[in-house]
Amino acid sequence: MTPLYPAIKDLVLVGGGHAHALVLRMWAMDPLPGTRLTLVNPDPVAPYTGMLPGLVAGHYRRDELMIDLVRLARFAGARLILDRATGLDPAARRVRLEGRPPLDYDLCSIDVGITSDLPGLPGVEHAVAAKPMAAYAAAWEAFVARRLAFPRVVILGAGLGGVELALASRHRLAAQGARPEVVLIDRETRLLPGLGASARRKMLARLEAGGITLRTGVEVVGIGPSSVTLAGGEEVGSDFTLTVAGARPQGWLAGTGLEQAQGFLVTDACLRTSDARVFAAGDCATVAGAARPKAGVFAVRAAPVLQANLRAALSGGKLRRFLPQRDYLKLVALGPQEAVADKWGLSLAGGRLWRLKDRIDRAFMERLSDLPAMAREAVPAAATEGLAAHLARRPLCGGCGAKLGPGVLGAALAGLPAPQRPEVLSGPGDDAAVLKAGEGVQVLTTDHLRAFCNDPRLMARLTALHALGDIWAMGARPQAALAQVVLPPLGPELQARMLGEIMAEAVATFGAAGADVVGGHSTEGAELTIGFTVTGLGGRVIGKGGARPGDALVLTKPLGSGTVLAAEMALARLPGQLMGEAWVACVAQMERGQGDAAAILAPEARAMTDVTGFGLAGHLLEMLEASGVAAEVSLEAVPFLPGTVALARAGQGSSLQPANLAAASWRMTAPVDPRVDLLSDPQTCGGLLAAVPEAAAAGLVRALRAMGHDAARIGRVTEGAPHLTVV
């Protein structure tokens, strides 16, 4: 949606911790006009740590405890940058990132959590750290899948988290019929000092009943692939070693110059660090004079204060104070669906406590996942007939999904004359115009994309790759590009930041492809739109015509980007999966340039095109029309992006897909199958589709896969009038 007010300041949230996740939720409900919100996090999802023991014990699926930051950022209208922060320069007001140039901010907040590795311990690479949780969860599931009869688990750190995970591990392994040996090791002699005496007794009794061995007052001096070595030389056998001890702050915080205590950022009661333009919350921070245990409950309760104070700092309002409670209700999982409750020195245990914990945890996750969909524009009581039906269509997509339908475009281009000048060798109808250039040819194309995300650098890269697709599809070498940029409403400083990011990324992307950016044009409009006009040079031009009966059809990328982008823009859920991870997998495929794929295919291709706005079916039919042949495609052979078939089955799809299907369906024979709808899905930065001699197909696919392309032989060219048969 077009913002009502131009953004004039940048608020950057570094880290996707619990506090920031809740800030995003609250910001969405009441955004501050004039502020551009950005979230920086290395992963598209973040774990809710309160449900981790339940995941390890087998009570939850992974998707049930992962916070989908992609959906949350979309809901909040925030820019999402999937990268890892490596530093902060408060003087320059910049966040340093691992994989891209520094990011400017006017106000910053840090919520990056902690890590639980043991730096400097010999062989630590043979262990798994409990934090960050995502890697631990994946490693644990892989270990469980080995189904060892006598699995040995060693947990370094017998604090509350270590005890919970020991009980959960033992329960999970025993539940699948194994006879596990679980050992808890800690250098301290007094266990669970954060619990009351009654709760501590209950926990220790549960450890004893489960046969879990406690080794306290013991120093670990090394970790091997199948054992842990203790001081004195004793070795404890281990098939899975977990480190819960050694919880420490992220290393890069030490170089920020901000006040710290034992490596944690120190804040005042308003959650400000020693720099008034930098706030911090969660496990990475400590409130001066009110230090508390590193527990998620404090981050959750700090979130409303953090959100209010970020707004106040941006708008000149009064800051609020955060007063963390001295004690809180601790609900500690016991492995089975039972828990211990502890507060004020009193404790209870049993299944009812587990059900209470489960309700609290699920309510928290539902708060962050039950996001209202985009509001539809209301139709006035007095309106032109047909307006309601027009507005009832799917919301307009971004990327190639915003392209005009093939019927509209075909009608508009039908009256264009054939090229009149001798140097113009071909015009409308192919991927690019072909111009005579000395002894060779020059190809010329133009393309632009309506933004489907709020990251201008990512949009610039994808638009450049999308425009280059036409050059590569013709078998040409990229030469030069002109940029056309429409910026959304912004203040002058943010305009300069955004345009600088776009042009820097364009130069890098075209430069990697062997082309120069030689200029362009910019203007301000309703929303971000980026386009490029690109030229290329070549000798032999590969057009859409030339396919012969018997040729194999080779596709270099899986389908479904239009459906994934549309579903993400609509805040759709992906049952049993995470929409954010499907979106990231989609973007990763879109970022895969096709220059090396074109170089592999070009020597053998008789006809070639890139699969973009009209979908595989539409672009294949263009090839068949130009070649005077038919084709057969196997649904089982066509690759699809993760989650796309489930989304199509649920009715998700691009706003352009119905028009694409209508234009192709009368020339198609196909079964009723959601995958058939995906054949008309508009692709942004889609793959190449080539008709190649059958004898060369297998070798070409092998070469493409060796280069990292998810290529497949999807069908064959047949004799007959242009028609597509899907089997």
Side-chain angles (χ1 to χ4, degrees):
M1 296 178 63
T2 303
L4 295 176
Y5 305 98
I8 59 173
K9 289 186 178 180
D10 271 322
L11 167 58
V12 176
L13 307 180
V14 180
H18 299 357
H20 278 174
L22 289 169
V23 166
L24 286 169
R25 181 69 162 81
M26 291 181 282
W27 191 278
M29 307 308 293
D30 187 19
L32 183 66
T35 297
R36 178 172 66 165
L37 180 62
T38 299
L39 173 67
V40 177
N41 198 70
D43 301 307
V45 297
Y48 172 48
T49 54
M51 297 172 75
L52 173 60
L55 173 73
V56 172
H59 305 318
Y60 299 122
R61 301 188 312 270
R62 176 179 174 274
D63 63 284
E64 291 182 295
L65 69 150
M66 301 302 281
I67 301 167
D68 194 330
L69 297 176
V70 174
R71 291 185 75 238
L72 264 179
R74 169 68 65 184
F75 184 53
R79 170 175 53 163
L80 176 62
I81 294 177
L82 294 174
D83 204 343
R84 188 179 304 278
T86 59
L88 189 79
D89 184 346
R93 287 182 290 168
R94 285 182 175 169
V95 180
R96 289 192 289 273
L97 303 174
E98 187 174 72
R100 56 194 282 169
L103 188 68
D104 293 321
Y105 67 83
D106 297 291
L107 191 69
C108 178
S109 180
I110 302 174
D111 180 16
V112 294
I114 55 178
T115 182
S116 60
D117 58 2
L118 297 169
L121 186 66
V124 71
E125 67 274 8
H126 298 299
V128 177
K131 291 187 178 183
M133 195 203 88
Y136 163 41
W140 172 250
E141 292 301 323
F143 174 68
V144 170
R146 291 169 60 187
R147 303 189 72 86
L148 299 178
F150 300 96
R152 299 169 300 171
V153 176
V154 173
I155 298 176
L156 309 183
L160 188 57
V163 170
E164 269 195 299
L165 294 176
L167 291 167
S169 301
R170 192 260 175 204
H171 174 78
R172 178 75 173 277
L173 295 169
Q176 67 177 23
R179 296 178 62 184
E181 177 184 318
V182 181
V183 180
L184 267 169
I185 298 176
D186 203 295
R187 67 174 64 179
E188 302 296 331
T189 56
R190 182 168 180 249
L191 291 181
L192 306 176
L195 289 181
S198 175
R200 189 183 307 118
R201 285 194 298 271
K202 289 181 173 65
M203 296 294 294
L204 293 176
R206 185 57 65 99
L207 289 174
E208 184 177 359
I212 295 172
T213 302
L214 272 175
R215 301 290 301 272
T216 59
V218 173
E219 187 78 22
V220 175
V221 297
I223 302 174
S226 60
S227 66
V228 171
T229 304
L230 308 181
E234 180 186 354
E235 290 193 353
V236 179
S238 179
D239 301 304
F240 187 89
T241 303
L242 174 68
T243 67
V244 185
R248 61 188 181 90
Q250 302 286 344
W252 64 268
L253 296 175
T256 62
L258 301 172
E259 182 184 350
Q260 297 171 32
Q262 297 179 320
F264 298 100
L265 297 175
V266 174
T267 74
D268 61 16
C270 299
L271 303 177
R272 286 178 304 190
T273 67
S274 53
D275 185 317
R277 293 172 297 191
V278 180
F279 288 69
D283 288 351
C284 69
T286 297
V287 178
R292 296 291 186 269
K294 299 303 179 185
V297 63
F298 296 111
V300 170
R301 295 190 178 182
V305 177
L306 177 63
Q307 192 259 359
N309 288 348
L310 292 173
R311 291 175 64 91
L314 289 162
S315 60
K318 184 178 180 180
L319 301 184
R320 291 170 49 186
R321 294 171 63 84
F322 173 57
L323 301 174
Q325 68 272 33
R326 292 189 177 276
D327 198 6
Y328 63 98
L329 176 64
K330 304 175 188 70
L331 290 167
V332 186
L334 295 176
Q337 292 186 353
E338 299 176 22
V340 166
D342 175 64
K343 189 172 184 180
W344 300 321
L346 303 175
S347 72
L348 295 171
R352 289 184 179 181
L353 277 305
W354 164 265
R355 290 190 289 274
L356 173 62
K357 174 177 168 54
D358 181 60
R359 283 198 301 272
I360 293 172
D361 289 339
R362 289 185 184 274
F364 177 81
M365 286 302 299
E366 189 63 18
R367 184 179 175 189
L368 294 174
S369 57
D370 185 16
L371 309 177
M374 296 182 296
R376 290 289 187 116
E377 186 176 353
V379 181
T384 303
E385 186 177 358
L387 178 61
H390 181 79
L391 293 178
R393 302 178 308 162
R394 290 171 173 167
L396 181 63
C397 289
C400 236
K403 190 174 181 178
L404 294 178
V408 173
L409 190 60
L413 297 180
L416 286 182
Q420 303 297 309
R421 300 180 180 278
E423 66 270 22
V424 181
L425 303 182
S426 73
D430 228 313
D431 289 306
V434 182
L435 312 177
K436 187 176 180 181
E439 296 300 316
V441 296
Q442 182 183 55
V443 296
L444 172 67
T445 187
T446 190
D447 220 323
H448 73 263
L449 297 179
R450 175 180 184 248
F452 55 80
C453 73
N454 292 322
D455 183 355
R457 189 177 289 274
L458 175 60
M459 284 306 310
R461 180 162 65 253
L462 295 179
T463 306
L465 292 171
H466 188 75
L468 283 164
D470 287 337
I471 303 297
W472 287 323
M474 300 289 284
R477 303 184 311 277
Q479 178 191 25
L482 289 166
Q484 303 93 41
V485 181
V486 180
L487 293 180
L490 298 167
E493 188 173 353
L494 265 65
Q495 279 187 334
R497 290 178 186 174
M498 184 177 287
L499 189 58
E501 288 183 21
I502 290 170
M503 295 309 296
E505 197 63 34
V507 168
T509 305
F510 280 108
D516 291 322
V517 176
V518 294
H521 181 73
S522 61
T523 188
E524 183 177 331
E527 58 187 1
L528 177 63
T529 302
I530 304 174
F532 296 102
T533 298
V534 191
T535 62
L537 297 173
R540 170 180 174 250
V541 171
I542 306 171
K544 295 176 183 175
R548 304 177 189 173
D551 283 350
L553 295 172
V554 174
L555 179 67
T556 63
K557 280 190 180 184
L559 304 180
S561 64
T563 293
V564 173
L565 297 182
E568 187 273 331
M569 292 179 73
L571 295 174
R573 283 182 168 181
L574 187 52
Q577 302 176 60
L578 291 155
M579 190 67 236
E581 291 182 333
W583 185 85
V584 167
C586 172
V587 170
Q589 278 287 353
M590 292 163 62
E591 289 184 292
R592 184 70 169 88
Q594 297 296 283
D596 52 355
I600 292 171
L601 290 170
E604 296 285 353
R606 292 189 172 126
M608 190 157 65
T609 187
D610 59 336
V611 179
T612 55
F614 297 154
L616 174 68
H619 288 290
L620 176 53
L621 284 165
E622 288 180 336
M623 183 185 290
L624 302 181
E625 290 279 2
S627 303
V629 292
E632 181 181 279
V633 165
S634 167
L635 276 179
E636 295 301 323
V638 176
F640 297 99
L641 288 166
T644 50
V645 176
L647 288 170
R649 187 177 292 115
Q652 296 291 333
S654 167
S655 55
L656 182 57
Q657 190 272 336
N660 283 349
L661 183 59
S665 59
W666 61 278
R667 294 176 293 171
M668 286 176 58
T669 302
V672 177
D673 191 304
R675 293 175 295 176
V676 173
D677 292 339
L678 291 170
L679 300 184
S680 297
D681 186 54
Q683 304 301 287
T684 303
C685 302
L688 298 174
L689 174 66
V692 302
E694 172 64 35
L700 291 171
V701 170
R702 282 195 300 271
L704 288 164
R705 289 178 176 171
M707 292 296 291
H709 298 279
D710 291 339
R713 181 192 183 282
I714 63 167
R716 62 190 181 95
V717 179
T718 61
E719 293 184 350
H723 186 84
L724 173 58
T725 300
V726 181
V727 297

